[in-house]
Amino acid sequence: KERLDKIKEEKRQIVAQQKLIIDNEKQVRKNEEKRKKIELKRIKIEQQKIKDEESKKLREDARKLKEEELRMKMLERQRIREEKIKIKEESIRQREIRAQKLREERERERIERNRIKEIERQKRLDEEQKIREAARKLKYEQEKLRETENRLRQLEIDRQQELQRQLLLEQAEQKAKEEELRSKEEKIKAAEREKLLREKEQREKEEELRIEEEKTKKN
């Protein structure tokens, strides 16, 4: 029975490690797809902002769900370990009652199991360390991708602000030109009115002179 329990425990640990490796591989593929989409995001950055927020929320929900699943699995593993420990303690107690010889034999077997278990535990720790290293690298790549997205977003904001400033400047220049044209037009109209006034005065003087000349000729 102990051997079967040990085999089941080993299988469960292997499945857990394979799941972690598969999850890391999935994350690697996701990061690769994300790199390919960055160039498109730079072109459609405004439309992508909403999608980014939704994607961020989905990742956050997935992370929380994964954490909850890991917590439940940890509790289940802990419960199984406690049950196995109780069974093992009871088995040891019963074996000790049977005979001293049997206890010595079981002790030798226990020592050997512990030795093998320690070897396997160390091997498992090494594998877990490799997996954690891979996970840290993936997290680092995710941070770099987020930094790149933030830089692109800030560049777009700066571009929009510069465009707005340029539009305001052009509007101010256009307004100044219009004011200058209106000023020139007023000056031209004023000059024309003054010219017309002088011509009118000149005609009136000529008319008066003509009338005077006619009166002089009649006399």
Side-chain angles (χ1 to χ4, degrees):
K1 185 177 182 180
E2 290 181 353
R3 290 179 181 175
L4 289 175
D5 293 339
K6 180 174 177 294
I7 291 172
K8 289 179 180 179
E9 179 65 21
E10 289 174 350
K11 287 182 178 179
R12 186 164 46 255
Q13 292 174 355
I14 290 171
V15 169
Q17 288 181 357
Q18 289 175 348
K19 185 177 184 301
L20 288 174
I21 292 171
I22 290 171
D23 290 341
N24 285 343
E25 290 175 350
K26 288 180 179 179
Q27 190 62 50
V28 168
R29 289 194 294 270
K30 287 181 180 178
N31 288 345
E32 185 64 26
E33 292 174 358
K34 204 169 185 181
R35 289 192 193 93
K36 293 178 181 179
K37 291 178 181 178
I38 285 179
E39 188 62 25
L40 292 176
K41 286 183 180 179
R42 186 177 59 185
I43 299 172
K44 300 179 179 179
I45 192 165
E46 288 301 326
Q47 293 82 1
Q48 193 66 29
K49 285 181 181 179
I50 297 174
K51 293 182 181 179
D52 289 343
E53 290 298 327
E54 294 175 348
S55 177
K56 181 179 179 182
K57 185 177 183 301
L58 290 174
R59 289 196 302 272
E60 184 66 18
D61 293 341
R63 183 184 65 79
K64 290 180 180 179
L65 181 59
K66 187 175 181 181
E67 289 176 353
E68 182 63 21
E69 290 175 352
L70 290 175
R71 187 180 70 83
M72 296 301 295
K73 288 180 181 179
M74 182 184 69
L75 292 174
E76 181 63 17
R77 288 196 297 269
Q78 183 177 357
R79 184 187 65 79
I80 293 171
R81 285 196 300 271
E82 290 174 354
E83 291 179 356
K84 288 183 178 180
I85 289 172
K86 291 179 182 179
I87 294 171
K88 187 176 181 180
E89 289 174 350
E90 181 64 20
S91 177
I92 292 173
R93 189 179 70 81
Q94 292 296 329
R95 286 198 301 270
E96 287 177 349
I97 293 172
R98 292 190 188 101
Q100 179 65 31
K101 183 178 180 179
L102 187 60
R103 288 199 300 270
E104 292 174 354
E105 181 66 23
R106 290 290 184 270
E107 181 66 18
R108 287 193 297 270
E109 291 177 358
R110 188 184 65 81
I111 292 172
E112 181 64 18
R113 285 197 305 271
N114 289 339
R115 186 183 69 83
I116 294 172
K117 187 184 292 185
E118 179 62 26
I119 292 172
E120 291 173 349
R121 187 185 70 84
Q122 187 60 45
K123 183 178 179 181
R124 188 171 61 254
L125 289 175
D126 293 340
E127 290 295 328
E128 290 176 354
Q129 179 66 24
K130 290 179 181 179
I131 292 171
R132 285 194 294 271
E133 287 293 334
R136 281 196 291 271
K137 289 180 180 179
L138 289 173
K139 185 177 180 181
Y140 175 77
E141 290 180 358
Q142 286 178 321
E143 291 294 331
K144 287 296 183 182
L145 290 172
R146 280 196 292 270
E147 290 177 2
T148 302
E149 290 175 350
N150 290 334
R151 284 197 299 271
L152 290 174
R153 191 178 294 112
Q154 187 60 45
L155 287 173
E156 180 62 17
I157 291 171
D158 294 342
R159 187 186 69 81
Q160 291 291 340
Q161 291 177 348
E162 180 61 26
L163 179 61
Q164 186 65 25
R165 287 195 295 269
Q166 185 65 29
L167 289 173
L168 291 174
L169 180 61
E170 291 177 359
Q171 289 174 358
E173 291 177 353
Q174 182 66 26
K175 186 176 180 180
K177 289 179 180 179
E178 291 175 356
E179 289 294 333
E180 183 179 357
L181 289 174
R182 280 195 294 270
S183 177
K184 289 181 178 179
E185 186 177 359
E186 289 296 329
K187 290 180 180 179
I188 291 171
K189 288 181 179 179
E192 290 177 349
R193 285 194 298 268
E194 185 178 353
K195 181 179 178 182
L196 291 173
L197 183 60
R198 286 197 303 269
E199 290 176 352
K200 182 179 179 181
E201 291 176 350
Q202 182 66 30
R203 286 195 300 271
E204 289 176 350
K205 288 179 181 180
E206 291 176 354
E207 182 64 21
E208 290 176 356
L209 291 174
R210 186 182 62 78
I211 293 171
E212 289 293 329
E213 289 176 357
E214 290 179 353
K215 287 180 179 180
T216 304
K217 289 178 180 180
K218 290 179 180 180
N219 292 330

